[in-house]
Amino acid sequence: MSGPRPFANALEMLRSAGLRPTRQRLALARLLFDKADRHVTAEQLHGEAVSAAVPVSLATVYNTLHQFIGAGLLREVVVNPGRSYFDTNVSDHHHFFLEESGRLVDIPGDRIDVSNVPLPPAGTAIRRVDVIIRVERDED
Amino acid sequence: MSGPRPFANALEMLRSAGLRPTRQRLALARLLFDKADRHVTAEQLHGEAVSAAVPVSLATVYNTLHQFIGAGLLREVVVNPGRSYFDTNVSDHHHFFLEESGRLVDIPGDRIDVSNVPLPPAGTAIRRVDVIIRVERDED
DNA sequence: TCAATAGATTAGACAAATTCTAAAGAAGCG
DNA sequence: CGCTTCTTTAGAATTTGTCTAATCTATTGA
């Protein structure tokens, strides 16, 4: 759905990112990338790690998530004030956001067109375009 | 830039919204709407009120901002985890976000096209489409 | 005008998410 | 193995925003 994963396993992925393959980082990488594209919060991921009997603190989860973002392995999605989602899909795409449930749904980049974009303010260059389509329960 | 303001003054605006025109709400409405389109945080607005010798607590600033949102006088823009911007422009439009400075710049709705939007997930309806163009300082 | 009342404001406590700090632990390297 | 560097961690601190209970104020109608 978002192209082949570039890494055969977590160890290789961490090595390529220049991050020491510690027990915590290996476990978090597996939790994040072994399944399909995911949108997780730090608390969620920490809960999964604890459930999987991986000894890891919440501070380390935050550290690791930010290191993964820095390495381009992960993307942050901001839809809600006061809570961040971390998206394992780093290809070009956008999101539906279901406000009631807090769920994010990917929209592949080629399934939506953003065109006629004006020039960015003087002295700046576009880094990323985020389209967030906020949806609500349909009264049927 | 965003059409004529629908209200001649703050008093009339609050009345139409069914909100008692208290000293605090009147002052905050003037700070927000007397100038051109603005993007402010709650802390910023509180600071402005205090500077203008308006006695108002931060709690009231938050209450008032949310009441104004409920009345359709204001819109919340979410671009940064852990901080909300309140936008006095409620017409159809989008934003450039300058990450380094935290500044928002309006993009009129008719200056950008979002097309070919896929159907929302079953049982949901689109409430709003937000386009956030993240820009960074251009290395010239 | 004035008292009654419904609604508004406030200080300060509280809450949630995230970051920081300083100390202890683990990796990598010779 | 021992040294050095990087990592993890508990817990404190920070930040943003909300809640509570008491006080205050706008409105209303006699």
Side-chain angles (χ1 to χ4, degrees):
Chain A
M1 186 150 277
S2 64
R5 296 259 172 238
F7 297 103
N9 57 57
L11 188 75
E12 188 190 338
M13 189 172 94
L14 292 176
R15 287 251 160 77
S16 300
L19 296 168
R20 280 190 189 173
T22 64
R23 181 188 338 283
Q24 286 82 356
R25 293 208 270 235
L26 280 167
L28 294 176
R30 289 198 194 99
L31 286 171
L32 285 168
F33 302 109
D34 274 2
K35 299 174 196 139
D37 295 338
R38 314 194 60 194
H39 306 97
V40 296
T41 65
E43 290 279 0
Q44 261 171 39
L45 183 60
H46 182 243
E48 289 181 20
V50 167
S51 296
V54 176
V56 63
S57 69
L58 189 55
T60 296
V61 171
Y62 277 107
N63 289 343
T64 303
L65 287 170
H66 288 140
Q67 289 153 355
F68 285 7
I69 287 175
L73 301 170
L74 219 50
R75 218 172 91 168
E76 192 172 3
V77 182
V78 183
V79 283
N80 240 353
R83 164 158 287 163
S84 276
Y85 290 82
F86 299 89
D87 186 348
T88 61
N89 179 354
V90 293
S91 69
D92 171 43
H93 71 292
H94 301 289
H95 295 96
F96 285 116
F97 179 53
L98 290 70
E99 313 218 70
E100 287 107 344
S101 63
R103 192 164 14 253
L104 283 165
V105 176
D106 281 352
I107 305 173
D110 58 8
R111 281 294 298 109
I112 191 168
D113 291 330
V114 180
S115 54
N116 195 25
V117 174
L119 288 175
T124 69
I126 293 175
R127 198 174 69 71
R128 197 168 104 189
V129 177
D130 288 336
V131 179
I132 293 153
I133 304 187
R134 295 171 188 274
V135 303
E136 59 196 350
R137 220 192 327 275
D138 199 358
E139 72 291 346
D140 45 291
Chain B
M1 186 150 275
S2 63
R5 294 260 173 239
F7 298 102
N9 58 59
L11 188 74
E12 188 189 337
M13 189 173 96
L14 292 176
R15 287 252 162 75
S16 301
L19 296 169
R20 282 193 188 174
T22 64
R23 182 189 336 287
Q24 287 80 359
R25 292 207 271 234
L26 281 167
L28 294 176
R30 290 197 194 99
L31 286 171
L32 286 168
F33 301 109
D34 274 2
K35 300 176 195 136
D37 294 339
R38 314 194 58 194
H39 306 96
V40 298
T41 65
E43 291 278 0
Q44 262 171 37
L45 184 60
H46 182 244
E48 289 181 20
V50 168
S51 297
V54 176
V56 63
S57 69
L58 188 56
T60 296
V61 171
Y62 276 108
N63 288 341
T64 303
L65 287 170
H66 288 141
Q67 290 152 357
F68 285 7
I69 287 175
L73 301 170
L74 220 51
R75 215 173 93 169
E76 192 172 4
V77 182
V78 182
V79 284
N80 241 353
R83 163 158 286 164
S84 274
Y85 290 82
F86 298 89
D87 188 347
T88 61
N89 180 354
V90 292
S91 70
D92 171 44
H93 72 289
H94 301 289
H95 295 97
F96 285 115
F97 179 54
L98 289 71
E99 314 218 68
E100 287 107 342
S101 63
R103 192 164 15 254
L104 282 165
V105 176
D106 282 352
I107 305 172
D110 58 7
R111 282 294 296 109
I112 192 167
D113 292 331
V114 180
S115 53
N116 193 25
V117 173
L119 288 175
T124 69
I126 293 177
R127 198 175 67 73
R128 194 167 107 190
V129 177
D130 289 335
V131 178
I132 292 153
I133 305 187
R134 296 171 186 273
V135 303
E136 60 195 350
R137 221 193 326 277
D138 199 357
E139 73 291 344
D140 45 291

